[in-house]
Amino acid sequence: MRIDKDILKKQNAIENLKILGLIWGFLKYYHPIVATGKFNWDKKLIEMLPLIIESDSKVERDKVLESWVKELGDFEICRSITENSNDSVILEPDLDWIENSSLSKELVKILLKVKRAERTGKNHYISFVRNAGNPRFKNEKSYPTKNYPDTKKRILSLFRYWNMVQYFFPYRYLIKEDWKDVLEEFIPKFVNVENRNDYLSAILELITRINDLHAAIYGKDYWLEGIKGSYSAPIDLSYIENKVVITGFYNDKYKNTAVPKIGDVVLEINGKPVEKLIENHLKYSPGSNLLTKIRTALLDIIRTDDKSIEIKIERNNKTSVKIIQCYKCNDLDFSIRYRHTNDDNALTILKSKIAILNNTKLKRNDIPSFWEKISKTKGLIIDCRPCPLEFPVYELCKHLLPTKLPFSRWSEVESKVPGMFKIKSHMYTGRKNKNYYKGKVVLLINEVSTSSAEFQIMAYRLHPNSIVVGSATAGTDGNMSFLTLPGKIVTAFTGIGIYYPDGSETQCIGILPDIEIKPTIKGIREGRDELMEKAIEIIENN
């Protein structure tokens, strides 16, 4: 049977496909025989699609599904599984749909039996990273194509991603909407795709809905160029004082020119207000909160297929229109977006006896030699805004903290009960150390502080004389899990949950500062680092 967008004209087509997606994913991760890899589970879905689509009634549909599940084979029932959660469970599996979807009594009975099946915790499609616990999705065919996958593969793509999130995303409860409703909403979006750009747009919109900055599209830009453009303006845009401001350049050519300048406020791009452009891009801009989604959108509104763009700027209360040359994205240095200083030194000692550690340059093995200098200072600034080069948190905390202290907890999925996440014991850092650092410690943070940086901040702020300065971090903390969708699309999401010792979240919220300081347009124009200035002021007045 040929499957195309006309299938949605069938009565109850979307509902029937939704039920198939729910059951296919549930069996993939819950049925012990499917877990062995005995079946080509993608092929099983593709074989079932026409049977479900052609079902003339719910009765007929459910009979097809009943036969399907029975044909998979029998299994042992686990007598030890209890329906009652204990205190360590932070997220229960969302399986109420089995009894609440108006399925036939026989089908419900069969699915509940699968729910209670004896499972080993091993699955052909999933494993877990040692000493981390985040899922590793394996044995998933990528179905590469230079065009775009056919309708069957696109439905597979939706069902595959949706179920990976359903059973292995620790922050599913922070999606803020019923994830099952999202499945239903996106069935026509994936079916009605007419070209490669439509397909990638549907994926981007879907992954944006889980509110996770890790949920980007990774790898080569082959697909992204189609919907975002092959070229980019070389201007770094930031959202400051509710305005879009030029804060840097991705190409050295513009650094010392008058057109444009750092601190210029961008009002329009190609005649369209930037606020409207941002609004239009937000649903395709993954992020854990509105500010991180805006940051993602700011990268996209300067993408184009043209070799120049026209921008309307405001400078000194005067507006003007400038033409900006654009470049192939591979020819631009986007790393400036994640830097806050041109200082290439991991450690700087100011004359005022203040030490500054630059997280983007700091190596763990440098800490012992650095500490001889840092220990003689009156204050230490740890710049946690840029992405860390390494993971020095435990080595640094040996010197910072007076004793061993808990700084976080984590959650991971229960391998035998996919969708159930249990919060684990505390993670500790530091050691008993009477010679710990006695000076003032100031941590600089902002919305660029993401993932590993956020994890490290949670530890560093345990210093008894610490203070956190800046603005809320990205709110995306936890090891990443990568996955592949048909068309060889690689994306990811956060695979373990990270929490404070009391169990409160960092995801979406971020690490909150003790003193909120944000850059100003005036400060940007003057070339000042206002957060660093505040940190120095705090130490000098301590």
Side-chain angles (χ1 to χ4, degrees), residues 420-447:
M420 175 185 285
F421 282 80
K422 292 185 176 181
I423 193 162
K424 302 297 181 177
S425 58
H426 294 87
M427 286 181 276
Y428 289 81
T429 189
R431 61 181 178 177
K432 189 172 184 180
N433 179 15
K434 65 179 182 180
N435 295 319
Y436 75 95
Y437 187 68
K438 305 299 195 303
K440 187 73 174 179
V441 175
V442 181
L443 309 176
L444 298 184
I445 68 171
N446 65 5
E447 72 278 3

Side-chain angles (χ1 to χ4, degrees), residues 134-137 161-162 164-165 168-171 179 203-204 206-219 286-288 451 476 478-485 488-496 507:
N134 55 301
R136 179 186 285 122
F137 299 103
Y161 182 84
W162 187 90
M164 287 172 169
V165 171
F168 298 102
F169 183 47
Y171 300 120
W179 187 234
I203 291 174
L204 273 174
L206 176 64
I207 69 176
T208 297
R209 296 287 277 272
I210 71 171
N211 300 323
D212 185 18
L213 188 58
H214 282 151
I217 300 292
Y218 295 90
S288 299
S451 198
T476 306
N479 297 37
M480 295 171 65
S481 291
F482 288 89
L483 54 108
T484 303
L485 301 177
K488 208 174 182 179
I489 305 297
V490 178
T491 181
F493 54 68
T494 305
I496 59 172
Q507 183 78 3

Side-chain angles (χ1 to χ4, degrees), residues 197-368:
N197 295 349
D198 286 351
Y199 178 57
L200 189 66
S201 295
I203 291 174
L204 273 174
E205 185 178 359
L206 176 64
I207 69 176
T208 297
R209 296 287 277 272
I210 71 171
N211 300 323
D212 185 18
L213 188 58
H214 282 151
I217 300 292
Y218 295 90
K220 293 183 179 179
D221 208 28
Y222 172 74
W223 287 84
L224 290 174
E225 284 185 358
I227 62 170
K228 296 187 177 184
S230 304
Y231 293 81
S232 174
I235 50 177
D236 180 38
L237 301 179
S238 298
Y239 200 64
I240 299 174
E241 298 182 43
N242 298 319
K243 295 180 179 180
V244 177
V245 182
I246 297 175
T247 51
F249 301 100
Y250 304 138
N251 185 299
D252 290 342
K253 173 182 176 181
Y254 283 94
K255 285 186 177 179
N256 298 310
T257 66
V259 187
K261 294 178 66 174
I262 288 177
D264 286 347
V265 175
V266 179
L267 304 175
E268 297 178 0
I269 297 176
N270 290 333
K272 298 179 181 178
V274 290
E275 293 84 2
K276 188 64 176 178
L277 290 172
I278 291 171
E279 180 184 341
N280 292 341
H281 279 80
L282 281 180
K283 72 176 183 177
Y284 305 113
S285 301
S288 299
N289 50 50
L290 180 58
L291 187 55
T292 56
K293 291 181 180 183
I294 290 175
R295 276 186 55 80
T296 303
L298 290 178
L299 271 176
D300 293 339
I301 65 174
I302 55 173
R303 292 283 293 267
T304 178
D305 284 320
D306 300 320
K307 294 186 177 180
S308 65
I309 62 171
E310 179 185 276
I311 65 171
K312 183 177 182 180
I313 63 168
E314 181 274 322
R315 185 192 306 165
N316 299 326
N317 297 318
K318 296 180 180 180
T319 62
S320 60
V321 175
K322 310 294 182 184
I323 303 298
I324 306 297
Q325 181 181 351
C326 295
Y327 299 82
K328 283 285 189 179
C329 293
N330 289 340
D331 296 332
L332 297 176
D333 180 14
F334 290 101
S335 66
I336 189 174
R337 196 162 201 260
Y338 308 100
R339 297 198 302 263
H340 296 274
T341 176
N342 291 322
D343 188 357
D344 287 330
N345 297 315
L347 173 65
T348 300
I349 305 291
L350 303 181
K351 292 181 180 179
S352 54
K353 293 186 177 180
I354 296 174
I356 302 173
L357 281 175
N358 180 359
N359 227 14
T360 196
K361 298 292 181 181
L362 182 61
K363 296 180 180 179
R364 183 174 59 86
N365 291 337
D366 289 336
I367 292 175

Side-chain angles (χ1 to χ4, degrees), residues 108-122:
V108 169
K109 179 181 177 181
I110 294 170
L111 295 178
L112 289 178
K113 181 181 177 183
V114 174
K115 179 182 175 182
R116 296 190 295 270
E118 180 74 60
R119 285 177 288 275
T120 65
K122 296 180 180 180

